[in-house]
């Protein structure tokens, strides 16, 4: 599996990177602009991401805007569910409006920070990204 | 308010979130220690510039990073700053940020003292 971690905080990046390591080959983007660049480049070079872990609260381009751009990029190319990238929003905001907004914009799941391994693995399993005993390259 | 009296460091809870991986926990604490001074500096810069949005975002980042390692007092204080960043007097925000800075120094002493 190929994953992109979008996170502006260093500590959060490290946590996600380490928790995803057994399951995915991970790239990192430190802000929304970089995330969109990475997403488009991966798609254009025919090695799209299977999963994007997307932080909501980031300076400049936030997670909601990035998600919107991703989905409109996919729609323009007729990439439709379930073929698009799976997006898990990562958020410290327990504000239901924020999460609802993200679902409306087309995220598949969300995990609340501080991120726990159990929660992350549970969501990835539900999305069919991993099965039991899945490791990198599968 | 669920945490009326949060712990300096709730390592067991943080460790559990990481699937009990002690080495990973230590790595994350190292990253946190290395990164936090810069984060606190950015918060102070935001205050000096009276850029409330930056103060809020920066407090949010500190809250989130602190939660990862179980630094509950840091998390709670940063959360407070995030909550009042748009409305409180700058003076009060400066006071809160000073407290947060001190709390980080206390945390460093705590971490160095073993636990």
């Amino acid at each position: 599996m190929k994953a992109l971690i979008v996170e502006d905080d260093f500590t959060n990046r490290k946590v996600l990177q380490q928790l995803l390591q057994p399951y995915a080959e991970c790239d990192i983007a430190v802000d929304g602009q970089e995330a969109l660049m990475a997403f488009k480049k991966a798609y254009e070079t025919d090695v799209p991401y299977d999963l994007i872990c997307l932080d909501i609260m980031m300076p400049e381009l936030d997670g909601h805007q990035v998600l919107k751009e991703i989905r409109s990029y996919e729609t323009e190319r007729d990439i439709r569910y379930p073929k698009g990238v799976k997006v898990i929003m990562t958020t410290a905001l327990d504000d239901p409006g924020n999460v609802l907004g993200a679902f409306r914009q087309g995220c598949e799941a969300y995990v609340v920070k501080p991120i726990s391994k159990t929660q992350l693995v549970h969501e990835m399993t539900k999305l069919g990204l991993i099965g039991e005993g899945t490791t990198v390259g599968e | 308010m669920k945490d009326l009296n949060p712990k300096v460091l709730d390592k067991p809870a943080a460790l559990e979130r990481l699937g009990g991986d002690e080495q990973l926990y230590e790595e994350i604490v190292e990253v946190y220690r290395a990164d936090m001074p810069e984060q606190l500096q950015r918060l102070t810069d935001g205050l000096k510039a009276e850029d409330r949005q930056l103060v809020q975002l920066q407090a949010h980042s500190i809250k989130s990073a602190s939660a990862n390692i179980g630094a509950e007092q840091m998390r709670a204080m940063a959360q407070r700053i995030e909550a009042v960043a748009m409305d409180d007097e700058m003076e009060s925000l400066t006071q809160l940020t000073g407290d947060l800075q001190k709390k980080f120094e206390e945390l460093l002493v705590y971490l160095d003292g073993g636990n």
Side-chain angles (χ1 to χ4, degrees):
Chain A
M1 175 183 21
K2 211 176 148 207
L4 176 67
I5 297 167
V6 188
E7 173 60 67
D8 64 330
D9 179 71
F10 194 24
T11 313
N12 281 321
R13 272 205 297 275
K14 184 80 181 172
V15 172
L16 271 168
Q17 200 182 359
Q18 296 292 334
L19 292 181
L20 284 173
Q21 208 176 36
Y23 310 101
E25 196 186 301
C26 294
D27 287 342
I28 307 264
V30 301
D31 59 39
Q33 290 292 359
E34 209 177 278
L36 282 176
M37 263 169 51
F39 164 76
K40 288 177 187 171
K41 194 174 168 212
Y43 183 77
E44 279 152 20
T45 50
D46 252 353
V47 277
Y49 293 105
D50 303 292
L51 169 70
I52 298 181
C53 288
L54 183 57
D55 184 22
I56 292 186
M57 197 151 162
M58 292 184 293
E60 316 289 336
L61 206 59
D62 70 17
H64 291 297
Q65 292 165 294
V66 173
L67 179 59
K68 216 173 138 191
E69 294 271 339
I70 286 174
R71 292 310 181 212
S72 78
Y73 183 92
E74 289 179 340
T75 307
E76 281 165 24
R77 283 156 190 80
D78 212 26
I79 306 164
R80 293 186 195 282
Y81 184 85
K83 282 180 85 185
V85 64
K86 301 276 190 297
V87 176
I88 299 180
M89 302 298 268
T90 62
T91 174
L93 311 170
D94 35 15
D95 163 18
N98 228 310
V99 172
L100 250 164
F103 276 108
R104 220 172 281 134
Q105 283 162 340
C107 79
E108 273 79 18
Y110 75 96
V111 292
V112 174
K113 292 182 204 169
I115 288 164
S116 78
K117 187 178 177 178
T118 323
Q119 202 190 359
L120 189 63
V121 168
H122 175 73
E123 293 302 340
M124 290 196 295
T125 310
K126 255 180 30 189
L127 294 175
L129 290 165
I130 56 171
E132 263 173 59
T134 309
T135 48
V136 178
E138 286 183 40
Chain B
M1 290 285 261
K2 56 175 182 178
D3 288 314
L4 286 175
N5 196 9
K7 291 181 188 170
V8 177
L9 192 70
D10 193 348
K11 183 175 167 181
L15 206 54
E16 198 193 316
R17 282 193 295 270
L18 301 175
D21 189 337
E22 186 97 29
Q23 196 190 334
L24 173 55
Y25 179 76
E26 294 305 329
E27 273 177 47
I28 288 162
V29 170
E30 279 314 304
V31 167
Y32 177 87
R33 288 180 67 142
D35 190 46
M36 192 46 62
E38 203 181 307
Q39 295 235 28
L40 288 164
Q41 184 56 50
R42 279 202 294 270
L43 181 60
T44 310
D45 293 346
L47 279 169
K48 281 187 190 145
E50 301 203 6
D51 181 344
R52 288 178 182 273
Q53 206 140 27
L54 179 60
V55 169
Q56 190 177 46
L57 196 64
Q58 207 43 54
H60 175 85
S61 262
I62 293 171
K63 175 187 80 175
S64 176
S66 301
N68 277 317
I69 65 158
E72 288 303 309
Q73 291 183 355
M74 285 285 292
R75 184 197 57 74
M77 290 178 76
Q79 184 173 33
R80 163 127 179 89
I81 298 173
E82 184 189 3
V84 300
M86 287 303 174
D87 310 304
D88 265 24
E89 300 287 331
M90 287 320 274
E91 201 179 317
S92 148
L93 290 174
T94 306
Q95 173 76 46
L96 287 172
T97 299
D99 293 346
L100 184 66
Q101 181 81 45
K102 275 188 216 118
K103 195 51 74 183
F104 179 58
E105 281 153 25
E106 277 174 43
L107 177 67
L108 288 181
V109 172
Y110 187 89
L111 287 169
D112 287 335
N115 42 71

